[in-house]
Amino acid sequence: QQQVKQSPQSLIVQKGGISIINCAYENTAFDYFPWYQQFPGKGPALLIAIRPDVSEKKEGRFTISFNKSAKQFSLHIMDSQPGDSATYFCAASETLSWGKLQFGAGTQVVVTP
Amino acid sequence: NAGVTQTPKFRILKIGQSMTLQCAQDMNHNYMYWYRQDPGMGLKLIYYSVGAGITDKGEVPNGYNVSRSTTEDFPLRLELAAPSQTSVYFCASSYQDNEQFFGPGTRLTVL
């Protein structure tokens, strides 16, 4: 049973457009929500992360929005570029769980020129 | 720093064979993890370790074993390989429960 549900499975966006990926979770003990970016043939790499004490975090063109009451969080990629074409995974973990991450199923983003 | 290294990059096994996937990190991280990645399924935790000599099962441990005799190394052992173990395997490490750094992966096919 997937503890973190991610949608959509895939996404095609034009260069300059906005990519939005959504994740939902059930475990209210989760208190750390990272997003990982993975290019073909590579391992995932941390892109941006948020904790529930804030509702939004922005780093460059990447923004996480967090809704604690709805148990949802999302990644927004502004001004999408062809170099952003990758698979994105949301994840969640709780304090005192030895950093064990529960991953979403992933979203393949393709940015067309 | 090399970060997290994994060997081999690719391997084909026959059903019933055994092998060890190697993982090493040079960042002096205390936590290490093994994941498998299957298409459309995200990453599933197989085993993890919080320090030398300490390991525990993750979500999908059946058919695998691990050991952690040093801080740097965390090998994953497959005994009696089965087609269901065809996957891409990633090793990761972190300092405490902070950012996890992933290796480049091992693509394993069991025929």
Side-chain angles (χ1 to χ4, degrees):
Chain A
Q1 184 184 354
Q2 199 93 23
Q3 288 203 36
V4 179
K5 294 190 175 155
Q6 183 172 347
S7 62
Q9 266 189 314
S10 62
L11 180 57
I12 300 174
V13 62
Q14 283 194 323
K15 179 181 174 182
I18 302 173
S19 304
I20 301 174
I21 306 169
N22 300 300
C23 285
Y25 63 96
E26 287 299 322
N27 185 351
T28 54
F30 285 151
D31 58 2
Y32 175 63
F33 303 91
W35 284 89
Y36 280 80
Q37 180 187 54
Q38 184 181 31
F39 293 106
K42 304 291 186 186
L46 181 67
L47 184 63
I48 186 172
I50 196 168
R51 293 196 183 267
D53 51 344
V54 296
S55 60
E56 186 175 282
K57 183 173 180 180
K58 185 175 180 179
E59 288 184 4
R61 295 183 293 106
F62 301 91
T63 299
I64 299 180
S65 297
F66 182 77
N67 186 329
K68 189 173 181 178
S69 60
K71 292 184 286 186
Q72 294 176 348
F73 59 110
S74 60
L75 177 70
H76 294 229
I77 307 174
M78 313 300 286
D79 187 26
S80 296
Q81 299 296 312
D84 297 331
S85 297
T87 299
Y88 294 82
F89 294 95
C90 63
S93 70
E94 55 182 288
T95 303
L96 303 180
S97 70
W98 313 113
K100 291 184 291 180
L101 289 170
Q102 293 286 340
F103 281 88
T107 298
Q108 185 173 20
V109 174
V110 174
V111 182
T112 59
Chain B
N1 284 355
V4 179
T5 57
Q6 292 183 239
T7 55
K9 283 188 168 50
F10 304 93
R11 184 74 186 266
I12 298 175
L13 282 182
K14 293 182 180 177
I15 294 172
Q17 287 186 320
S18 300
M19 76 164 293
T20 299
L21 281 67
Q22 301 292 345
C23 174
Q25 53 91 10
D26 62 0
M27 297 174 282
N28 203 31
H29 286 166
N30 49 350
Y31 289 11
M32 294 187 76
Y33 309 86
W34 274 106
Y35 295 91
R36 59 177 289 172
Q37 182 177 29
D38 300 301
M41 299 291 289
L43 290 91
K44 301 287 187 187
L45 183 65
I46 304 171
Y47 269 95
Y48 67 101
S49 169
V50 299
I54 307 170
T55 63
D56 204 352
K57 296 176 181 178
E59 193 179 351
V60 289
N62 291 344
Y64 307 95
N65 272 302
V66 294
S67 59
R68 182 108 181 261
S69 56
T70 66
T71 299
E72 293 78 20
D73 300 298
F74 190 39
L76 178 71
R77 178 85 178 156
L78 278 72
E79 304 282 2
L80 298 174
S84 61
Q85 293 178 305
T86 293
S87 189
V88 181
Y89 292 84
F90 288 100
C91 178
S93 72
S94 66
Y95 176 69
Q96 308 288 59
D97 55 357
N98 294 310
E99 175 184 356
Q100 290 187 23
F101 292 83
F102 284 78
T106 294
R107 185 174 292 275
L108 175 67
T109 302
V110 182
L111 300 173

